[in-house]
Structure formats: C-alpha cells, structure tokens
Amino acid sequence: MRVLPGRPYPLGVRHDGSGVHVAVFAEHAFGVDLCLFDAALGAGETARIPLPARTGYVWHGDFPDLRPGQLYGFRVRGPWAPAEGHRCNEHKLLLDPYALAVVGHFTWHASLFDHAMPQGSTDLSALDRQMNLADSAPYMPKALVVDESFDWGDDRSPRIDARNAVIYECHVGALTAQHPDVPSALRGTYLGLASPPVIEHLLSLGVTSVELLPVQHFITEQGVAERGLTNAWGYNPLAWFAPHAGYASGDRGQQVTEFRQMVKALHAAGIEVLLDVVFNHTAETGSLGPTLSLRGFDNRTYYHLRPSDLRHAVDYSGCGNTPDLSHRAGLQLVLDCLRHWVTSMHVDGFRFDLAPALDRGPGGEHSGALWNAMQQDPVLAQVRLIAEPWDLGPDGWRTGRFPVGMAQWNDRFRDCVRRFWSGEPGQVPELASRLAGSSDLFLDGPMASVNFVTSHDGFTLADLVSHERKHNEANGEANRDGSDANWSRHWGVEGPTDDPTVLATRERVRRSLAATGILSQGITMLLAGDELGHVQGGNNNAYCQPQLLELDWTLDARRKDLLAFMRRALRLYREQPVLRRSSFLRGLVDAPSARHDVVWLGPDGQPMSIERWRDPFNRFLGMLLPGAGIDDRDESGRPLVGDTLLLLLNGGADDLELPPPSVPDSGHWELLLDASACPLDAAPGASAPVAAGAALSTVRIPAHTLQLLRRTHEP
C-alpha cells in the first residue's frame, strides 16, 4: 500500500477524492499506527501502518489506495506513566476523535481498561505498576472512512429570529417510536422525525426549532449496562463528529446520509435543527475508566487532571472526567467539531450541556476561551448558541453570566413558575421578573432567556401535576438519582386517579403552567410530548428507560383538548408582538404622559401596592401590556404595533372577580385564552369561545387558572 507524508491539516481521516488523508494530534507519542480492518468486522486487523510524518504534535500521512468504506482505528506508542499523566498503551485500539461515522457495537470488557485490578478497586497506585497487555480491538467499534458527497440542492438555514423562536426539545428515537402514521421502518429514526406526519404536527404547534437530545455517537455506561439497562438520553459521547448510528437504517454511512436528509426536510418546512452537544465529559469516564480514544492519544493534554496527582481526573461534570478546552488541542477539537456540524451537516445551532465545564481553565477558573473563540469564528458566530448554565464545579451556577449573544436555559424561570402554580407562598415578586424576561439575570434583553417549565431532565408536564415524589426505582439506584427539588404537586392523589375533582384541578394547573412558559417574555422551549399528555410514571430521571420516553400519539378527548389549548397559546404568542419584545420592559417609559409599557395589577384590579408586593400570601398577579408600549422594530425596521393585552394568573385556591383595568380608549376587553375551559378547536385563528368578542365588565378568574385578554376596538 502506498504511503505518502501528507500534511498536518485538516485533522482526522478524510477522503479527498484521490485517496485518504490522515492526521491526528498526539503530543507525547513516540509513534502512531493506522490500523485497518476488514469490512466484515469479524476478520480482525488486516494492516497496521505507522504514520510516516510528524509536524509539531500532529502525526500524518496520505494513503492514495484507500477509499470510502474502509474501517479503521489507531494505536499510539508512547509513555505509560500515569503518575505523570501519560496513559499511552498500544494494545488499546483507539477510535479517531474526528471519526465521521462509527461502525459496530461496543462491548464492555476488561481489555478496554489500562489497569488489571479487581472490579471496584480504587487503588490508583496500581496504575503505576500495571499495564493491561490485552488487545481491546475485538470489543471496540471501528471508525468508517465516509463519502462526504451529498446533494443539498438549495438547502439553507431558516435563520429564525430569536423573537419568533419556539424550541421543541425532543428525542430522535422516542418521538416517533409509536407514531401510527410514520412507516414502521422509519419509526425511531432521523427519517422518521423528518416524515410528513411529524413535520405537520410541529408546524401545527408553531414550532420553529427542534432541539435534539444528543445525537453524537454514544454508548451505555458500564454500571448502567451491568444493571441490564441502556443509556437512552445519549449523554455519554464516544465520537463527537459522528451521528449516532442507532437512529439510522444502518451504520455503514447511512447515519450520515439520513441525518442530512432529516435536516434538509426540516429546513424545507422552515424548521431549524439544534443539537444538544456534550463536550463536558466523554465515555472514558474517571481515572479508572476505559481507554477508548482521547485518553490513549494524549491523556495529559485532553483532560483536566489533578495537579497534585496526575493519575486523577478532575470531574466537573459528575460523569468522571472533564475535557480540558483551555488547551489549544482540546479547543481546536471542539471548534472543528462544531464547524463540521454546521458546514457539513447544516445544523443551525447548539445547546451546550453543562456549559460552565467547557469554560474552565487549568485551576478550575472560568476562562472564557471557548465562548470567545466561537463568537469571533466566521461560521459559529452566525448560529444559535444556548448554554445550560451550570455544572458541578466551584461557582458552577452561572445563569445570566454567559457572554452577550448567547441564550441560556433559565432555571430560575422554571423553579419560580412551578412554585407559584403549586401554591408556594411569596412567589409573586419573582414571578413578575420572570414574566418580564428576567432583567435581573440577563444583560442583553429577554431573548437571552430560554423559558421552560419542563425539559428532558425532570418530570413531564403531566407528571408535574400528578406526583409529589419521584419514582425512579426502575433505574436501579434505589431512587437516589434524580432531583428531589421538583416543586410539583399531585392535587390530592399520588399518581393516576379517576377522581374528577383531582383531574379537573390537574388539567387547569397543567394548562396554566404551559401557558406561563409560552406567554412570558423570552424564547419559549417546550418538552416534546407535553402537548400530548406524555407521562413517565413519576420517573424524573428516565435516562435509562427508553420505553418511558416513547410518546403515545393516541389522543382521547382530554388529550385532544390539551393539544388544542397548546396550539392556541402558541398561536397567540406568534400573533402578538407585545409578548415577544427584544428589549426589557421598563414600567414607566414617559413620565409626562404617564405612559407605561407594563402595569402590574393586584387581585382588586388596581396597580400593585408595595404592601401587596410584600404580601407572601398573595397568589395573584395581573400583567397589563399596552400595545402602544412596544418600542421594537421588525426585521425590516418597521415599528411593531400590537394589541393591548392583559395576562392574569390566579395561583390561589379561590375564584376571583375583579374589574378589568381601565385604559384610555373606547374599546372593550375580550377573552382570548382560559386555562380552565378550552373546547376542541381545529380552526386556525379562532379565538376562545368563552366570552369571545363580548364586552367584559367583570373578569372572573377561577382558582389555579391563567387567562389572557385583549383590548379590542371593534363595536
């Protein structure tokens, strides 16, 4: 086989039209071997070829005779010195960190580990004395040389303005696993997600962006596998560049092609594709974990290690390790990966799991290196960037402290809204801040806040009003996993019930929770299935329960009614620019004319007094949004003009009646949305039938109910 010196860039293994170019980073290696495998996978290693050249810390070579479809891996010859942070072991087959596709199954086996210690041993000193000489290749999946050609046609990003964004967090497999209108061969796949019935459902809701739970190729953790379970969420990445093969019709490149077909179909419907990316840890886990990829290439470079004892990994993620992105090689790896997903796979943005862990320097301080690099990158600066703003390290809660231009999951919004609707006292002052876009947290306007009430991590919306305790026993961790701070309430019975009073209250609170998330200032995020009444039996950490994640698409009358309510709320959000401001509300905006952009009302219909704000037992809040108070402009620069709206939230146990606020015009108030009554509604644009179009002299707000009213000037 012909071997040429090649060049040190780009990194990875890529077909360039005339052969295969190979380049890998391994600063401390003595040599790097490219290992080739027969296409049948079971035939073992067919060739082991040393890379012929080194430039700086990059080993490289060109192979004119190799073609797409070739299976490969690497072996690194270098120092075995765990006390110095080095874990090179040529007996370990390594997956290319830049692999575009992964072929074959992963099997947990003792040969994957560098040590030869009894199960459960924590004797790290043994690492200095022992090297496992067993070959791990039979138990490792292989990387695939990919034919990267694809007909994108006229595909382009929808580039949804943040003010119009409605994000739908979903699991590729679970979304369509039980969908009756998706062909059985496509259920649970990329192509199933992009099938016409699913796209039609997303558009009918008003979804602009799907945020996919991890699709970077992942494996199941050893402890989870030993309990007979599987990692369903995908937060255990093995190959950052490769689409997960389990969501495709095959693993010989189909995962790449079908992912692209999914993106192309969603773009054609005007829907963005966002990826939940996991760079805060890898499947190599802690110091005694397996050697699968980065650890074998350059453990000391790619991971945070404890300065006082380099045998120990530093863990800011809770998953055993944390890649060191303050090092040039780690930073380049992640930036190259993100650019690949944008330029080659056409994704429109990213949600960064445990984002503070990506920002930490050698001593754990927050360096800002990754965020600064992304914001000056000509590719990445143009896509949607969302941070999950917490990790498990020191000063790990950083909501509101990410750079301007990055949106952030607003956990303060989630917790406050849940506490208010569950009946916790003293929530009204903070609730006002959350409804108004959380100016106390963010600097650059409401669209920095991703507002959510539920996400994959925690109770579903239905479970939130049906359980006061988590029920995670099936996970095999004695119900210790998952958060205990859920701010949930079952309203009389723990779990399923036929009690009509309990069911009616649950339904009212569920709709009020959902509508609060939708109608607040900021970017709306929905959890897939909440609109269908999806339940997980009270499991608030269903990461290893794929059957619990699968959505049930059969709709009884109650579920149809819920879906109609969600569609109506989202339609109102789209139609009313006063709900989607790009600048913060200021209250009094013109003192001489007494013009306000928001007025807060108490349960008597009058502006909130200081005493009312301070009353911990006040469970009512009204939010008057004058249409004339909008100072924003649309994308064409034209002033936005909207209706005057009145949002009413009664979180108490008693019905209320209050006079609607007086405004300086001759119109009247009409009810647009009522969480206590929403008959089936299939007509786009229809307003709520309860008092629709009728002048209201008194507003009646049932207990545990959100209502939205509009000021109309029609006779």
Side-chain angles (χ1 to χ4, degrees):
M1 178 178 294
R2 292 178 293 166
V3 182
L4 304 175
R7 59 201 184 283
Y9 193 84
L11 291 175
V13 176
R14 301 291 184 268
H15 179 243
D16 59 11
S18 60
V20 171
H21 166 72
V22 179
V24 295
F25 178 94
E27 177 178 347
H28 298 95
F30 307 147
V32 178
D33 298 337
L34 175 68
C35 303
L36 304 181
F37 292 84
D38 185 81
L41 267 183
E45 193 174 310
T46 59
R48 187 180 302 188
I49 308 164
L51 295 183
R54 174 175 177 169
T55 302
Y57 300 135
V58 176
W59 299 79
H60 51 88
D62 281 353
F63 297 79
D65 301 321
L66 293 183
R67 295 291 180 267
Q70 177 65 56
L71 302 182
Y72 71 95
F74 289 100
R75 298 182 189 273
V76 172
R77 290 171 277 117
W80 168 260
E84 299 173 19
H86 301 308
R87 301 278 289 272
C88 296
N89 184 347
E90 63 185 287
H91 301 283
K92 303 293 166 279
L93 184 75
L94 305 177
L95 196 68
D96 179 7
Y98 282 73
L100 299 183
V102 176
V103 177
H105 296 290
F106 174 85
T107 304
W108 286 102
H109 189 268
S111 64
L112 299 165
F113 299 86
D114 288 328
H115 54 87
M117 291 181 279
Q119 180 68 26
S121 172
T122 59
D123 181 12
L124 285 175
S125 63
L127 286 176
D128 295 327
R129 304 191 304 270
Q130 300 181 22
M131 175 190 287
N132 190 338
L133 305 183
D135 186 4
S136 68
Y139 309 98
M140 280 288 293
K142 313 301 185 289
L144 177 76
V145 178
V146 172
D147 179 355
E148 295 190 70
S149 62
F150 183 77
D151 181 9
W152 283 105
D154 60 355
D155 178 75
R156 63 185 60 191
S157 171
R159 295 196 180 278
I160 305 297
D161 186 275
R163 287 179 295 187
N164 301 321
V166 175
I167 298 173
Y168 188 78
E169 190 197 30
C170 60
H171 184 282
V172 172
L175 184 66
T176 62
Q178 297 185 31
H179 200 303
D181 297 327
V182 173
S184 58
L186 301 183
R187 293 176 190 166
T189 69
Y190 300 119
L191 296 183
L193 191 152
S195 63
V198 176
I199 290 179
E200 180 182 354
H201 175 75
L202 296 174
L203 294 177
S204 74
L205 272 178
V207 168
T208 67
S209 314
V210 292
E211 182 177 298
L212 308 182
L213 264 66
V215 296
Q216 296 166 302
H217 192 87
F218 60 87
I219 61 174
T220 294
E221 299 88 336
Q222 184 181 18
V224 175
E226 289 173 348
R227 296 198 300 272
L229 302 171
T230 184
N231 185 315
W233 280 352
Y235 291 92
N236 194 42
L238 178 63
W240 284 336
F241 287 71
H244 187 64
Y247 301 143
S249 62
D251 62 5
R252 299 304 177 104
Q254 295 97 324
Q255 61 268 58
V256 177
T257 299
E258 292 172 14
F259 182 93
R260 287 169 164 165
Q261 290 173 330
M262 174 194 69
V263 171
K264 188 176 179 180
L266 290 167
H267 280 180
I271 299 173
E272 289 182 326
V273 178
L274 312 177
L275 301 188
D276 188 340
V277 288
V278 186
F279 297 116
N280 58 75
H281 74 282
T282 74
E284 291 182 307
T285 65
S287 303
L288 298 178
T291 296
L292 309 175
S293 184
L294 297 180
R295 175 169 288 149
F297 278 100
D298 203 319
N299 182 59
R300 184 164 179 169
T301 292
Y302 279 122
Y303 288 112
H304 282 289
L305 303 179
R306 190 181 302 172
S308 60
D309 188 346
L310 296 176
R311 294 169 298 180
H312 290 270
V314 177
D315 180 13
Y316 300 120
S317 65
C319 299
N321 65 51
T322 307
D324 184 358
L325 306 190
S326 68
H327 190 285
R328 179 185 63 82
L331 182 63
Q332 179 183 356
L333 173 60
V334 169
L335 291 173
D336 285 350
C337 179
L338 294 171
R339 280 191 293 265
H340 167 76
W341 283 105
V342 175
T343 59
S344 297
M345 310 298 276
H346 285 207
V347 305
D348 305 289
F350 306 94
R351 178 265 191 189
F352 295 91
D353 185 58
L354 299 184
L358 283 58
D359 185 38
R360 294 189 180 273
E365 72 283 1
H366 296 282
S367 69
L370 178 62
W371 318 130
N372 292 335
M374 286 194 300
Q375 291 192 315
Q376 61 80 41
D377 186 284
V379 172
L380 302 179
Q382 301 184 59
V383 303
R384 194 178 306 283
L385 304 175
I386 302 172
E388 181 187 40
W390 51 82
D391 71 3
L392 298 185
D395 190 27
W397 184 82
R398 300 185 65 78
T399 304
R401 292 191 282 170
F402 279 75
V404 169
M406 289 190 70
Q408 300 165 55
W409 273 27
N410 191 344
D411 57 316
R412 291 278 295 272
F413 180 95
R414 174 199 63 199
D415 294 346
C416 176
V417 170
R418 288 185 178 192
R419 287 194 295 261
F420 175 80
W421 287 113
S422 68
E424 289 288 321
Q427 300 304 310
V428 167
E430 183 178 358
L431 179 65
S433 294
R434 303 299 153 242
L435 293 173
S438 297
S439 61
D440 58 327
L441 297 176
F442 304 105
L443 296 175
D444 52 332
M447 295 307 158
S449 176
V450 176
N451 297 333
F452 67 105
V453 177
T454 56
S455 69
H456 72 277
D457 189 4
F459 283 142
T460 67
L461 191 61
D463 284 355
L464 194 62
V465 297
S466 303
H467 299 276
E468 294 184 0
R469 305 185 307 276
K470 64 186 181 183
H471 297 274
N472 300 356
E473 290 82 3
N475 296 354
E477 300 181 49
N479 208 33
R480 292 188 300 269
D481 61 308
S483 176
D484 293 317
N486 297 292
W487 307 111
S488 61
R489 187 170 174 183
H490 58 47
W491 302 101
V493 178
E494 181 72 10
T497 182
D498 295 325
D499 186 311
T501 302
V502 173
L503 290 175
T505 303
R506 286 180 178 179
E507 193 62 31
R508 193 176 297 179
V509 175
R510 173 163 59 172
R511 293 180 187 180
S512 297
L513 282 161
T516 306
I518 292 169
L519 302 177
S520 297
Q521 302 290 330
I523 297 175
T524 294
M525 188 184 85
L526 309 173
L527 172 63
D530 275 351
E531 76 279 14
L532 305 172
H534 179 61
V535 299
Q536 292 178 177
N539 192 319
N540 73 350
N541 189 35
Y543 75 99
C544 57
Q545 302 293 334
Q547 72 283 357
L548 289 183
L549 301 180
E550 295 179 358
L551 304 190
D552 180 1
W553 289 85
T554 58
L555 299 178
D556 57 17
R558 188 181 298 275
R559 288 186 167 196
K560 287 180 180 178
D561 200 22
L562 173 64
L563 179 57
F565 178 85
M566 298 280 278
R567 285 172 172 163
R568 188 198 312 283
L570 287 159
R571 183 166 62 248
L572 293 171
Y573 177 74
R574 294 194 304 274
E575 294 172 349
Q576 298 293 338
V578 75
L579 297 173
R580 299 180 285 105
R581 296 173 52 97
S582 62
S583 59
F584 286 122
L585 297 164
R586 293 178 289 164
L588 182 65
V589 296
D590 185 357
S593 66
R595 184 168 68 90
H596 293 70
D597 57 13
V598 63
V599 178
W600 301 103
L601 305 176
D604 56 0
Q606 299 301 309
M608 288 276 282
S609 64
I610 293 177
E611 290 75 20
R612 189 75 73 179
W613 283 116
R614 292 174 175 172
D615 181 3
F617 300 105
N618 174 32
R619 292 185 171 88
F620 174 88
L621 183 63
M623 184 182 190
L624 175 64
L625 294 165
I630 305 177
D631 298 324
D632 286 354
R633 295 178 179 270
D634 64 18
E635 293 176 320
S636 302
R638 295 170 298 191
L640 290 173
V641 179
D643 295 320
T644 293
L645 300 179
L646 179 60
L647 184 64
L648 303 174
L649 302 91
N650 181 9
D654 299 320
D655 297 352
L656 295 176
E657 287 192 6
L658 66 152
S662 59
V663 293
D665 61 41
S666 58
H668 64 269
W669 292 100
E670 66 173 353
L671 187 61
L672 294 180
L673 191 71
D674 185 348
S676 68
C678 178
L680 302 182
D681 170 29
S687 60
V690 179
L696 300 178
S697 58
T698 301
V699 179
R700 179 181 178 276
I701 313 163
H704 314 301
T705 293
L706 175 146
Q707 292 179 344
L708 182 68
L709 289 78
R710 174 176 63 186
R711 188 70 171 175
T712 178
H713 303 286
E714 298 176 359

